[in-house]
């Protein structure tokens, strides 16, 4: 077990956003978290990456309790998140953004190899290496956010809405690359509103509703589940 | 209005303004660094500068400076003063952050609370020195006798003006390189541009914040040395007016923008000296703050108008 959330609750002020979430991610999997706006998908991500403290519950990563570990130290443990809304550093060049992904690393040979790998996955980023990230298109920024997260060589890659606001063709391309990254050995926890794409790529999935998990299963099971179909896949 | 004097010696007054503005610029960098990352106006920064001047004085007294020493001793006193001023100011700035602001950040306090705390800390430090060192102007030994270093296009540049301007430019350049070219500098820019994303890349935000307070403090300490050399005195409230002017300089250039702080500082120094020349010094301070009001009215983002986040080489 690479990641396990045990009965995690999370509060913004007095409002409870997550009411006891439990989920597991095995090494090598793609796990998708689907749900409507406000269901708690992003809150779950922020709990795992450490941006928001837990109100209660426990997060175990690689056999270690990281529930109270600072966000920047979780990166060193091997968790890296591509945040919702991409979160690139607009005033830095594409190359500097990628260097930020490797901020915690000192092995320059490994960093150079990973940079080559990212440029291999996203040739577009190589073309734009010297351009300020704020001037990239939405799709390019998304590629940069994913590439930047990969630069930390994470054991677990967290992707928050990688398809948000992108054209269908680009979405296809991003998901192809996510599958490729996974096949190269990185475990992926993915949050998506695009349930069709997410579940068809994922080994397993969880359905979140108003801060609680209401369904779990393999990607295929969830894709064919009548309730999931009706609520998230736009099929009656 | 004494236009004859101003335009008769325009070069002289400009150099004088640049020297004065160099000191503003160094202090302005401290405001702008902190604002760029925390969106906080650290009003206690004026006292960070004030403590630097007292540290310079203390070091000089300790080493027995009396204005009669030779060249080697003068250089030693300058170096020791720089070290003492920078260390005292740097330590003060870091301590202020640690004692006052970090706790407020953890509590997620609203911006107004930070501002009130900043003003409170400023008063506590200044009044403490008022009690400890007295409320009168404290004289310092004259370390460097003013003399003309060189003449360019009929404008005489004195040795202290030269030292002040060159030192400020060198430090500005070093800071710019540090922020734009090093790994730590990149971490600072990352926190300024997107604090959450920076944390997700493994940047320790608290350490970055400590770093910018330290850098701002070190520069204020250097400014304190240059001020001591140039004016030869200090006082418990020396930071008040100078701090406000440095803040004005930072806003003028575009607060959060390092190069803006330099530009704003130099410009404000020149404006002040011109105004002082025209009005026998009566309207010097008025001119400085009229500049602030005008900038806020017509170009609230300042002349260069970028944040630390977007400012780049």
């Amino acid at each position: 077990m690479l990641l396990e959330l045990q009965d995690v609750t999370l509060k913004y002020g007095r409002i409870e956003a997550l009411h006891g979430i439990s989920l597991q991610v095995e090494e090598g999997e793609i796990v998708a978290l689907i749900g409507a706006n406000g269901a708690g998908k992003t809150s779950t991500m922020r709990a795992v990456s450490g941006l928001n403290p837990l109100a209660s519950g426990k997060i175990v990563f690689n056999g270690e309790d990281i529930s109270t570990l600072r966000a920047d130290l979780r990166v060193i443990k091997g968790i890296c998140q591509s945040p919702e809304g991409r979160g690139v550093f607009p005033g830095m060049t594409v190359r500097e953004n990628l260097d930020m992904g490797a901020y915690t690393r000192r092995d320059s040979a490994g960093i150079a190899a990973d940079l080559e790998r990212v440029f291999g996955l996203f040739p577009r980023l190589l073309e734009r290496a010297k351009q300020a990230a704020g001037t990239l298109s939405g799709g390019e920024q998304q590629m940069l956010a994913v590439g930047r997260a990969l630069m930390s060589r994470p054991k677990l890659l967290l992707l928050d809405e990688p398809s948000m606001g992108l054209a269908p063709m680009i979405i296809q391309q991003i998901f192809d690359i996510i599958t490729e990254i996974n096949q190269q050995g990185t475990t992926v926890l993915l949050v998506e509103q695009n349930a069709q794409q997410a579940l068809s790529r994922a080994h397993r999935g969880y359905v979140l509703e108003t801060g609680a998990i209401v369904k779990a299963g393999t990607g295929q099971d969830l894709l064919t589940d009548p309730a999931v179909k009706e609520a998230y896949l736009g099929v009656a | 209005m004494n236009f004859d004097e101003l335009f008769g010696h325009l070069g002289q007054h400009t150099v004088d303004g640049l020297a004065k503005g160099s000191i503003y610029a160094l202090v302005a960098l401290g405001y702008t660094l902190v604002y760029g990352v925390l969106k906080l106006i650290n009003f206690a920064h004026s006292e960070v500068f004030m403590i630097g001047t007292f540290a310079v004085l203390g070091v000089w007294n300790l080493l027995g400076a009396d204005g009669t020493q030779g060249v080697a001793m003068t250089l030693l006193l300058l170096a020791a003063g720089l070290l003492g001023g920078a260390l005292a100011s740097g330590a003060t700035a870091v301590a202020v952050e640690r004692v006052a602001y970090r706790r407020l950040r953890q509590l997620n306090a609203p911006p107004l609370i930070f501002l009130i705390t900043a003003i409170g800390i400023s008063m506590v430090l200044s009044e403490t020195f008022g009690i400890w060192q007295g409320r009168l102007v404290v004289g310092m030994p004259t370390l460097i006798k003013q003399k003309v270093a060189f003449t360019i296009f009929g404008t005489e540049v004195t040795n202290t003006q030269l030292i002040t301007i060159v030192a400020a430019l060198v430090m500005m350049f070093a800071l710019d390189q540090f922020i734009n070219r090093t790994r730590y500098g990149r971490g600072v820019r990352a926190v300024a541009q997107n604090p959450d994303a920076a944390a997700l890349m493994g940047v320790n935000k608290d350490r970055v914040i400590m770093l910018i307070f330290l850098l701002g403090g070190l520069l204020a300490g250097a400014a304190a040395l240059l001020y001591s050399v140039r004016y030869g005195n200090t006082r418990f409230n020396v930071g008040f007016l100078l701090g406000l002017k440095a803040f004005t300089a930072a806003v003028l250039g575009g607060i959060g923008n390092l190069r803006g702080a330099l530009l704003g500082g130099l410009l404000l120094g020149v404006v002040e000296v011109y105004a002082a020349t025209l009005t026998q010094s009566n309207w010097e301070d008025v001119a400085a703050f009229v500049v602030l009001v005008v900038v806020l009215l017509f170009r609230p983002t300042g002349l260069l108008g970028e944040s630390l986040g977007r400012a780049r080489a």
Side-chain angles (χ1 to χ4, degrees):
Chain A
M1 189 85 64
L2 188 60
L3 176 77
E4 185 171 17
L5 273 64
Q6 299 172 2
D7 209 17
V8 165
T9 63
L10 190 146
K11 289 179 181 173
Y12 298 109
R14 259 175 294 173
I15 301 157
E16 196 172 273
L18 299 178
H19 323 292
I21 299 268
S22 296
L23 61 83
Q24 292 96 34
V25 179
E26 300 280 354
E27 201 156 350
E29 277 188 315
I30 298 180
V31 173
L33 230 55
I34 62 167
N37 257 337
K41 305 188 302 287
T42 293
S43 296
T44 306
M45 286 304 217
R46 290 175 72 91
V48 175
S49 62
L51 286 180
N52 286 99
L54 307 187
S56 67
K58 203 168 151 186
I59 299 178
V60 180
F61 179 71
N62 226 354
E64 191 181 342
D65 184 350
I66 59 162
S67 309
T68 57
L69 198 66
R70 279 203 326 256
D72 56 288
L73 297 176
R74 293 189 198 190
V75 178
I76 297 170
K77 297 279 176 205
I79 299 178
C80 198
Q81 183 184 346
S82 160
E84 188 190 17
R86 294 144 205 160
V88 299
F89 302 112
M92 294 189 197
T93 63
V94 167
R95 175 63 205 273
E96 283 180 311
N97 267 275
L98 293 173
D99 286 342
M100 277 311 299
Y103 190 81
T104 57
R105 295 173 61 186
R106 302 282 185 181
D107 55 321
S108 41
I111 294 173
D114 282 352
L115 191 65
E116 208 157 303
R117 174 185 167 215
V118 168
F119 283 145
L121 287 168
F122 304 103
R124 202 49 175 275
L125 295 182
L126 181 58
E127 290 165 33
R128 314 246 152 167
K130 287 190 174 143
Q131 202 170 319
T135 66
L136 299 180
S137 73
E140 289 165 345
Q141 286 192 17
Q142 189 61 60
M143 293 175 191
L144 180 56
V146 175
R148 184 181 61 177
L150 285 177
M151 286 302 294
S152 73
R153 198 178 278 185
K155 293 190 181 78
L156 176 64
L157 177 64
L158 305 175
L159 297 173
D160 196 346
E161 303 269 8
S163 78
M164 191 166 60
L166 300 183
M169 228 177 74
I170 312 268
I171 293 180
Q172 195 65 42
Q173 203 183 338
I174 291 269
F175 275 101
D176 285 348
I177 287 168
I178 292 168
T179 306
E180 191 178 339
I181 290 165
N182 177 249
Q183 282 162 359
Q184 289 174 8
T186 307
T187 309
V188 178
L189 176 59
L190 172 73
V191 152
E192 259 301 338
Q193 284 200 49
N194 188 332
Q196 175 73 48
Q197 274 287 354
L199 290 176
S200 60
R201 304 289 181 150
H203 300 96
R204 290 187 307 110
Y206 292 90
V207 180
L208 266 172
E209 249 167 48
T210 56
I213 287 173
V214 293
K215 238 181 196 83
T218 66
Q220 281 311 314
D221 285 351
L222 291 174
L223 269 177
T224 52
D225 184 292
V228 173
K229 266 181 159 172
E230 191 182 334
Y232 302 106
L233 302 174
V235 194
Chain B
M1 293 288 237
N2 196 347
F3 286 102
D4 289 347
E5 169 58 26
L6 177 61
F7 291 111
H9 301 98
L10 192 62
Q12 217 80 64
H13 294 304
T14 306
V15 172
D16 199 32
L18 291 176
K20 193 172 196 183
S22 297
I23 295 174
Y24 293 156
L26 285 178
V27 180
L29 287 169
Y31 287 99
T32 239
L33 275 169
V34 169
Y35 184 85
V37 172
L38 285 181
K39 303 286 172 276
L40 159 73
I41 308 291
N42 176 22
F43 278 112
H45 193 59
S46 48
E47 271 48 63
V48 168
F49 167 81
M50 178 273 290
I51 288 173
T53 63
F54 277 100
V56 170
L57 177 63
V59 169
W60 285 355
N61 283 341
L62 203 68
L63 297 176
D66 56 7
T68 60
Q69 68 285 332
V71 173
M73 188 60 187
T74 301
L75 288 176
L76 178 72
L77 285 170
L78 286 175
L82 179 64
L83 196 68
L87 285 181
S89 291
T92 306
V94 170
V96 167
E97 192 280 316
R98 198 76 182 80
V99 172
Y101 302 140
R102 183 170 296 188
R103 180 76 188 132
L104 293 178
R105 280 205 311 281
Q106 286 162 354
L107 294 171
N108 241 333
L112 188 62
I113 303 295
F114 279 91
L115 198 67
I116 293 168
T117 304
I119 294 170
I121 296 268
S122 169
M123 286 179 170
V124 165
L125 290 176
S126 148
E127 289 303 315
T128 302
F129 269 72
I131 293 164
W132 182 30
Q133 298 288 329
R135 306 181 77 83
L136 301 173
V137 172
V138 186
M140 294 189 181
T142 309
L143 218 57
I144 301 174
K145 289 189 185 59
Q146 299 243 9
K147 61 174 187 230
V148 176
F150 63 89
T151 305
I152 180 170
F153 301 125
T155 297
E156 292 174 344
V157 179
T158 68
N159 47 2
T160 53
Q161 287 172 337
L162 184 68
I163 291 171
T164 306
I165 295 170
V166 170
L169 290 178
V170 166
M171 277 181 271
M172 178 67 218
F173 179 76
L175 179 70
D176 197 81
Q177 290 295 304
F178 179 79
I179 296 291
N180 282 315
R181 299 264 174 273
T182 67
R183 175 173 171 275
Y184 284 112
R186 210 183 305 128
V188 171
R189 284 189 293 145
V191 175
Q193 292 180 24
N194 191 333
D196 275 356
L200 294 177
M201 300 300 116
V203 181
N204 182 344
K205 192 179 164 191
D206 281 334
R207 194 175 298 167
V208 161
I209 289 166
M210 203 174 95
L211 177 68
I212 52 148
F213 273 88
L214 178 67
L215 287 172
L218 293 176
L219 292 166
L225 173 78
L226 296 173
Y227 181 92
S228 303
V229 169
R230 182 183 157 92
Y231 296 99
N233 64 61
T234 185
R235 200 179 173 200
F236 76 103
N237 64 357
V238 69
F240 179 71
L241 196 57
L242 192 134
L244 276 182
K245 287 180 181 172
F247 168 62
T248 303
V251 173
L252 177 60
I255 190 148
N257 182 322
L258 298 181
R259 291 168 194 189
L262 180 71
L263 179 70
L266 295 178
L267 218 56
L268 190 71
V270 171
V271 165
E272 263 192 40
V273 170
Y274 285 178
T277 310
L278 286 174
T279 64
Q280 281 87 39
S281 295
N282 294 334
W283 293 81
E284 180 180 346
D285 296 339
V286 176
F289 294 110
V290 165
V291 167
L292 176 63
V293 173
V294 170
V295 170
L296 289 177
L297 280 178
F298 293 105
R299 202 174 157 85
T301 54
L303 295 176
L304 300 188
E306 293 168 315
S307 68
L308 180 64
R310 255 148 275 148
R312 24 170 306 101

